[in-house]
Amino acid sequence: MRQKTSLLGLGFMTPALVMVLLFFLIPVVLTGVFAFTNMSTATGISGGDYMITPQSIRHLADNPALDTNTIEALGTQGYHVGEASLKAAAEAGVSPAFLAEIGKRLDGKSFKSNRDFVRALKKLRSRPRSMRDLKLAAEPFSRSILNQRFATKEAFLAGLAALDLSLDAGGRDLLAKEAYTGWSWTTENFRTLVNKPGSKFIILNTIFYVATTLVLFNIGFALFLAVTTFYLPQGQATFFRAVWLLPRISPPVLYVLLWKWLLWDNGFLSTLTGWFGVAPFNYMLGSVSSAWTAVILINGFIGASMGMLIFSSALNSIPASMLHASEVDGASRWQQIRHIILPQLRWPILFVTSYQTLSLLTSFQEILLSTDGGPGGSTTVWSLEAYFTALNNYAGNLQYGYGASMALVLVIVGILLSLLYLRVFKFNELVAKPRIEN
């Protein structure tokens, strides 16, 4: 019978386990994997080509492993007519008559640019009449790999060998690494996080935002609402709790639009103060202090409504006999709260603190919709910066790997804070068996 009950319980738990696997474990693992790559819009998410560009030449110029002649040869778009280039042109489909004339008139000659070589080809009688065909015929004679794409490393090294450069195996590998346009494994993302000048500012913003919203609203104000409505008549308590749930159940876009209607320079508050001669002011973006006030209020009311709901449910589970007995003993409301209610709420406070900390660390939609991290990036927090980096930035090059490393930092910080909360709230005592059972 117990085995059948266990199997039934496992069956009921299977959908939840599948959801945890799909929407938590796999995304976290993939975030950890991508965090150690340099994936971006430029590299793509699959394999890349090999290509030497002018930017690559500038990077290589500072490398002591390569001499000046090699750098100049890589950056020069030269053309040479010889046995190897004539053979390559024949394989590319250039007409035999045109090749024969090129070999007779231009054999052994070199040209510094495509324009010079094409000008020489135009003087030949058997040349193609189309300029496009003429330029295609000129390509096999190129002695440059600048701005040319090679699908494989082997093809790139073959093109490199055609330049007759004096390179050893280390030099060839160095050029192949610089030319590769796909993603690669790296730990550079984390070094960038540590050394980037703006990281400290965003960290301080995040600490201020999470700590202030958590203490003042998600825990403090939520407790205040739960306790005050607990002492109200049942009908009034239900009404006020329903009102305070509106921020939680409202769609974020509509909720933030209501705040903009209240705080914008043409909103209700500016209109009201304008009746007394006060100039219109954008309380959401007008100053750093007003922007932070708006952000904390917007997110705080959402968190307070959830905390109020959990704390109210926990308060209703406290045996009424304990409160009645305290009143008989002459306890005041404050004494009831301090010695009966708060000790009974350790479990709910631990849960709300852990959950809301993780929520505040990772959620950014209200900040994005209200201030977009402004003014001047003053309300940008870590999760919002990770979103801008990986999914939506003005530069156009989305840095998937770097954004994933920022998200991985949030995962690690969230786990460490959760473990800290378990220790502060003495989790072992909360789950210990009552002494009477021992």
Side-chain angles (χ1 to χ4, degrees):
M1 182 65 182
R2 177 175 294 180
Q3 184 177 3
K4 291 182 179 180
T5 304
S6 300
L7 291 175
L8 182 63
L10 182 61
F12 281 120
M13 287 294 294
T14 299
L17 294 175
V18 171
M19 296 289 284
V20 169
L21 178 66
L22 291 178
F23 298 106
F24 177 74
L25 293 179
I26 291 179
V28 169
V29 171
L30 290 178
T31 298
V33 172
F34 294 150
F36 291 92
T37 70
N38 65 341
M39 282 187 187
S40 66
T41 305
T43 66
I45 60 176
S46 59
D49 299 324
Y50 291 82
M51 182 178 180
I52 291 292
T53 64
Q55 184 178 6
S56 304
I57 300 297
R58 288 193 292 270
H59 288 169
L60 293 169
D62 299 328
N63 196 310
L66 300 175
D67 56 40
T68 305
N69 293 332
T70 300
I71 299 298
E72 290 180 355
L74 290 172
T76 302
Q77 290 183 313
Y79 291 80
H80 179 74
V81 179
E83 182 180 351
S85 58
L86 288 169
K87 182 179 179 181
E91 294 175 352
V94 179
S95 67
F98 188 37
L99 279 180
E101 190 175 1
I102 292 175
K104 181 180 179 180
R105 302 274 301 273
L106 303 177
D107 188 28
K109 293 185 177 181
S110 297
F111 303 86
K112 292 183 178 181
S113 67
N114 177 268
R115 183 177 62 179
D116 293 341
F117 185 50
V118 170
R119 185 180 298 168
L121 294 179
K122 283 183 178 181
K123 298 177 180 180
L124 305 180
R125 297 182 61 182
S126 56
R127 73 183 187 277
R129 299 306 173 188
S130 168
M131 179 58 70
R132 178 177 178 275
D133 293 339
L134 189 63
K135 289 184 176 181
L136 289 175
E139 288 182 1
F141 297 91
S142 173
R143 286 179 57 94
S144 172
I145 59 174
L146 189 66
N147 293 326
Q148 294 186 30
R149 289 188 177 274
F150 298 89
T152 63
K153 183 179 180 181
E154 290 73 18
F156 172 75
L157 293 178
L160 197 62
L163 299 181
D164 297 328
L165 300 175
S166 56
L167 289 171
D168 55 13
R172 290 192 294 271
D173 290 339
L174 174 64
L175 289 177
K177 182 178 179 181
E178 180 66 32
Y180 185 56
T181 61
W183 63 271
S184 59
W185 299 104
T186 180
T187 58
E188 189 63 30
N189 294 329
F190 298 96
R191 283 192 287 270
T192 303
L193 282 178
V194 173
N195 298 323
K196 192 174 181 180
S199 294
K200 182 179 178 181
F201 176 74
I202 297 175
I203 290 173
L204 294 176
N205 275 356
T206 306
I207 293 174
F208 172 75
Y209 164 68
V210 173
T212 305
T213 309
L214 182 69
V215 174
L216 294 183
F217 287 92
N218 295 5
I219 303 299
F221 193 52
L223 271 174
F224 173 79
L225 291 174
V227 172
T228 51
T229 55
F230 176 70
Y231 285 107
L232 289 176
Q234 185 64 34
Q236 297 179 22
T238 303
F239 171 76
F240 283 112
R241 289 168 186 166
V243 170
W244 279 105
L245 275 177
L246 290 176
R248 168 64 59 176
I249 64 178
S250 298
V253 175
L254 176 61
Y255 177 65
V256 175
L257 280 176
L258 291 174
W259 276 96
K260 284 189 174 182
W261 173 80
L262 176 68
L263 300 177
W264 219 248
D265 50 5
N266 57 354
F268 175 79
L269 195 57
S270 289
T271 301
L272 184 63
T273 55
W275 295 345
F276 301 96
V278 179
F281 182 75
N282 190 330
Y283 294 92
M284 198 168 279
L285 290 173
S287 66
V288 175
S289 58
S290 65
W292 270 121
T293 302
V295 165
I296 291 172
L297 287 174
I298 291 170
N299 289 273
F301 287 158
I302 295 175
S305 62
M306 177 186 172
M308 175 205 65
L309 189 65
I310 294 175
F311 294 148
S312 296
S313 300
L315 283 171
N316 289 328
S317 67
I318 297 176
S321 58
M322 295 179 65
L323 299 173
H324 295 328
S326 67
E327 290 177 355
V328 171
D329 291 337
S332 63
R333 292 286 191 234
W334 169 244
Q335 289 174 327
Q336 284 183 340
I337 294 171
R338 179 181 178 185
H339 298 289
I340 298 177
I341 291 178
L342 291 181
Q344 297 289 331
L345 293 182
R346 285 174 62 190
W347 258 114
I349 292 175
L350 169 61
F351 170 76
V352 172
T353 302
S354 301
Y355 178 85
Q356 295 287 18
T357 298
L358 298 178
S359 177
L360 290 169
L361 281 173
T362 57
S363 63
F364 59 86
Q365 60 268 24
E366 283 79 16
I367 301 178
L368 177 67
L369 292 170
S370 57
T371 66
D372 198 28
S378 59
T379 58
T380 300
V381 295
W382 194 268
S383 56
L384 182 60
E385 182 67 15
Y387 167 74
F388 285 147
T389 300
L391 299 174
N392 184 26
N393 65 55
Y394 297 108
N397 184 27
L398 304 179
Q399 299 173 289
Y400 309 128
Y402 186 55
S405 66
M406 297 184 72
L408 184 62
V409 170
L410 286 179
V411 172
I412 295 173
V413 170
I415 292 174
L416 293 177
L417 287 176
S418 298
L419 294 175
L420 176 64
Y421 292 149
L422 294 178
R423 187 173 183 85
V424 170
F425 284 89
K426 299 179 181 179
F427 181 73
N428 292 335
E429 293 182 7
L430 293 176
V431 298
K433 291 184 178 180
R435 294 181 180 179
I436 192 172
E437 295 184 12
N438 294 327

